[in-house]
Amino acid sequence: MMEAVVPKLPSFNFLNPNSTAVGKIVFRRFSCSSSSLSPSVLVSADSESVSLGHITRPDFPILHQVIENKQPWRSSIPLPSIFYLLTLVYVCMQEVNGKKLVYLDNAATSQKPVAVIKALQNYYEAYNSNVHRGIHCLSAKATDEYELARKKVAAFINASDSREIVFTRNATEAINLVAYSWGLSNLKPEDEIILTIAEHHSAIVPWQLVSQKTGAILKFLNLNDNEIPDLDKLKEMLSRKTKLVVTHHVSNTLASVLPIEEIVHWAHDVGAKVLVDACQSVPHMVVDVQGLDADFLVASSHKMCGPTGIGFLYGKSDLLSAMPPFLGGGEMISDVFLDPSTYAEPPSRFEAGTPAIGEAIGLGAAIDYLSAIGMQRIHEYEIELATYLYENLLSVPNVRIYGPKPSENVHRAALCSFNVENIHPTDVATILDQQHGVAIRSGHHCTQPLDRYLGVNASARASLYLYNTKGDVDDFIQALNETVNFFDMFR
C-alpha cells in the first residue's frame, strides 16, 4: 500500500525544467488578486480556436485569479529525510512564483458565474424576507422568486409540474428523504434493493440504514470488463422481489454514462421503482425526466453553477402524494392540533421550516445561465473535452485511468480518475496545486466500495466543465509530467 507524503511546499522553479530563475525565498500568506485580463485578451491569448470555454470563462470571477504561495515554509512538517534535505537546498535557491489557477475539480463543485452571485446579492440587498404567508411586498417578492426557481428547475428537467420538485439541502438529503419517507413506508422483509457498486456513499448509506429497519435486502451490481456496471447482469438480478433500483446516471469516478431509460424500463417490467442520482448529469447534458420515466431523481445546485446548500428531488406526483412527511415543523402542515396534525400537499409537505430562499433563487439564476448557452451545446463541447483529456492523460508514463475507453459508441463524461504507479494520488494533487496552480481532487471520491473492487484505496481525479478549455488540459498534462519527473528523482 502506498503511503501519502503531504508536505506544504513553497513553489519551486526547479520543478519546471525550462526555468533558470534563481533567487531568495519570499514567504507570503495565501492571497488571491483579480487579474486585469479582459475577456478579449482571454479569448485571444493563444492560437487555440475560440471555444465554449473561452467564451464563458470571463463570467466566472474566481477563474481570473493568480494563486500565490499558500503557506509559509514550516520546517516542523514531517518529510522523508531525502525529500526534506533536497527541499531545504532548493528553498535557498528558488523564488516563490505566482501561477495561473487551472481549476479541474468540477465533479466536486463548480464555480459560480457573475449572474448567480448577483442574484444572491440582489435578494439580500433588495427583497430579503421569509417566504409564504407574508402579505407585505418583500415577502410577496421573495415568495414569487422562490417559487419561480422551482418552476425553472421543473422546466430544466422537463417535469410535468413544478409541484414534483422538492427543494432540499443537497442531493444527499433528497436521497434520504426518499429512503425514510418512501422506503420505510413501502419496504418489508425480503424485498430487494439493487444498487451498483459504483454508487456514491450518499446513495448507499441511507439504504443500508433503511434495510436494517425494514429487513429489505441490498444487492450490488458489479462492473463488466469495460469497467461499466454490468447491465446484462442487472437484467438477470431483477425479479418480482425487486422493489427499488438505485443508480447513478453518470459515475463520478468511472465517468461512465448509463442508459437510464432502458434501466427504468427493465425495472418497471418487474414492478420496481427507480431512483436516479443525476448529480453528474444534470449539470452537463439534457436530462428529461418524463423521457427517462424515472420515479425519483436527485441533483445538487453547487455542481451546476448554483450556490451550495440547496439541491432538489424530483418525484412523480402520485408517489410524492402518498409519502408521509420526512421532517416535522412549520410550513409542512395543513392544520396543527394537540392531537395528530394534518399535512400540506407536496412539495410543501417535505420542506419543513424556513427554506434556503437565496440559494433557491441563485439556483434559478444558474439554470437561466446554463439554459441561455444550451445544454446540448454544453454536452457536445464536453464530449470533445472528455476525449481530449483521456487521450492526453494516457500519454503520461505509468498512468492507469479508471472507467471505459471512449469510442464511437461509448462517450465518457469529462472527468478522469487515475493513478500514477508508485505515487500516492494525494502527493500528485499536492504538488500539482502548490507548484503549478492546478486544482484536482484526490481520495476515494465517496466511492469506497468501488475503490475496493478496483483494488485501490484512492485515486486522483481531474474533472472539467463548460468553462474549461483544451489549454487547461495541456497545462494539467504538462504539470503532471513534471510532477511525475519530480517523484522519479527519489527512486
Side-chain angles (χ1 to χ4, degrees):
M1 182 182 298
M2 293 180 290
E3 295 296 331
V5 176
V6 193
K8 286 292 184 181
L9 300 175
S11 178
F12 305 135
N13 286 332
F14 79 94
L15 292 183
N16 181 351
N18 298 319
S19 173
T20 58
V22 177
K24 63 181 181 180
I25 185 75
V26 177
F27 297 129
R28 287 174 285 190
R29 293 187 182 277
F30 174 82
S31 65
C32 293
S33 57
S34 298
S35 169
S36 60
L37 289 178
S38 67
S40 61
V41 173
L42 291 171
V43 169
S44 61
D46 56 38
S47 59
E48 183 179 345
S49 59
V50 177
S51 67
L52 182 60
H54 289 100
I55 294 169
T56 57
R57 186 178 295 251
D59 297 330
F60 295 82
I62 197 170
L63 300 179
H64 307 161
Q65 297 183 113
V66 173
I67 305 299
E68 298 183 7
N69 182 42
K70 299 182 183 65
Q71 294 284 344
W73 178 253
R74 298 176 185 269
S75 60
S76 61
I77 295 177
L79 299 169
S81 57
I82 185 170
F83 191 51
Y84 175 75
L85 293 173
L86 285 172
T87 300
L88 285 181
V89 172
Y90 286 114
V91 163
C92 298
M93 294 174 59
Q94 303 301 327
E95 193 172 67
V96 176
N97 296 319
K99 55 269 187 185
K100 181 185 72 173
L101 170 64
V102 179
Y103 185 78
L104 303 180
D105 193 22
N106 295 284
T109 198
S110 68
Q111 299 304 336
K112 320 307 175 194
V114 171
V116 170
I117 297 169
K118 286 186 175 179
L120 280 166
Q121 181 179 5
N122 186 47
Y123 163 68
Y124 286 111
E125 288 184 349
Y127 58 98
N128 173 51
S129 182
N130 213 328
V131 294
H132 306 135
R133 299 188 311 280
I135 61 171
H136 58 82
C137 64
L138 292 183
S139 180
K141 172 68 172 175
T143 299
D144 287 347
E145 293 299 318
Y146 178 76
E147 293 301 333
L148 178 59
R150 193 190 308 275
K151 292 177 181 177
K152 290 177 181 179
V153 173
F156 193 67
I157 62 171
N158 195 32
S160 61
D161 193 303
S162 64
R163 289 172 294 184
E164 294 180 317
I165 305 300
V166 179
F167 284 132
T168 58
R169 287 185 304 150
N170 42 47
T172 299
E173 183 176 79
I175 294 171
N176 276 271
L177 193 164
V178 177
Y180 283 92
S181 182
W182 181 88
L184 291 180
S185 301
N186 289 276
L187 296 172
K188 58 185 184 298
E190 305 304 316
D191 284 345
E192 294 179 355
I193 304 170
I194 297 178
L195 310 91
T196 82
I197 202 168
E199 295 310 309
H200 192 280
H201 294 165
S202 63
I204 295 177
V205 177
W207 298 107
Q208 291 175 334
L209 296 173
V210 166
S211 69
Q212 292 168 6
K213 295 176 181 294
T214 62
I217 299 169
L218 302 186
K219 302 183 74 174
F220 287 91
L221 178 69
N222 289 333
L223 308 183
N224 61 22
D225 292 340
N226 296 318
E227 294 187 341
I228 301 172
D230 191 337
L231 299 184
D232 290 332
K233 183 65 176 177
L234 172 62
K235 287 187 279 188
E236 296 176 7
M237 293 171 66
L238 288 165
S239 72
R240 289 293 171 182
K241 290 184 177 181
T242 308
K243 301 305 176 185
L244 180 69
V245 175
V246 179
T247 180
H248 58 272
H249 194 175
V250 173
S251 169
N252 72 318
T253 300
L254 300 172
S256 52
V257 183
L258 297 183
I260 296 300
E261 189 172 354
E262 294 180 39
I263 293 172
V264 170
H265 176 72
W266 301 332
H268 286 176
D269 277 350
V270 298
K273 308 301 182 189
V274 179
L275 167 62
V276 180
D277 176 355
C279 288
Q280 300 294 341
S281 61
V282 167
H284 303 281
M285 62 181 69
V286 176
V287 173
D288 179 348
V289 292
Q290 293 189 71
L292 297 176
D293 199 23
D295 300 290
F296 301 105
L297 181 142
V298 304
S300 290
S301 164
H302 71 94
K303 289 183 169 68
M304 53 188 291
C305 298
T308 57
I310 190 166
F312 65 85
L313 165 68
Y314 159 80
K316 288 182 176 178
S317 292
D318 59 330
L319 295 175
L320 293 178
S321 295
M323 288 162 53
F326 173 46
L327 298 172
E331 198 62 41
M332 48 73 65
I333 53 86
S334 176
D335 288 292
V336 174
F337 303 94
L338 296 182
D339 52 5
S341 300
T342 57
Y343 308 118
E345 291 299 311
S348 296
R349 182 185 301 171
F350 306 107
E351 296 180 7
T354 297
I357 304 165
E359 288 80 358
I361 293 167
L363 171 57
I367 287 173
D368 289 342
Y369 180 83
L370 294 174
S371 298
I373 297 169
M375 293 308 299
Q376 187 59 33
R377 182 183 182 189
I378 291 171
H379 182 49
E380 290 171 358
Y381 176 65
E382 289 189 10
I383 289 175
E384 180 183 348
L385 278 183
T387 301
Y388 190 79
L389 171 64
Y390 185 92
E391 292 176 348
N392 280 272
L393 187 54
L394 279 180
S395 69
V396 179
N398 301 316
V399 160
R400 161 77 156 93
I401 304 174
Y402 302 102
K405 296 179 180 178
S407 66
E408 287 187 12
N409 300 319
V410 177
H411 295 309
R412 288 176 58 98
L415 67 89
C416 283
S417 298
F418 66 96
N419 272 311
V420 182
E421 187 177 356
N422 296 324
I423 306 176
H424 196 282
T426 300
D427 293 339
V428 171
T430 299
I431 298 299
L432 285 175
D433 173 52
Q434 295 188 13
Q435 307 304 318
H436 303 281
V438 177
I440 68 168
R441 187 149 293 254
S442 65
H444 53 64
H445 315 306
C446 291
T447 56
Q448 286 182 310
L450 174 62
D451 285 354
R452 294 188 186 98
Y453 182 88
L454 295 170
V456 299
N457 59 9
S459 63
R461 184 183 67 194
S463 51
L464 312 177
Y465 202 16
L466 74 157
Y467 41 68
N468 289 120
T469 66
K470 290 181 178 179
D472 290 335
V473 176
D474 294 339
D475 290 342
F476 162 58
I477 297 300
Q478 179 180 344
L480 182 58
N481 273 306
E482 292 178 15
T483 299
V484 172
N485 291 338
F486 168 69
F487 282 102
D488 282 345
M489 294 167 55
F490 305 104
R491 295 179 183 172

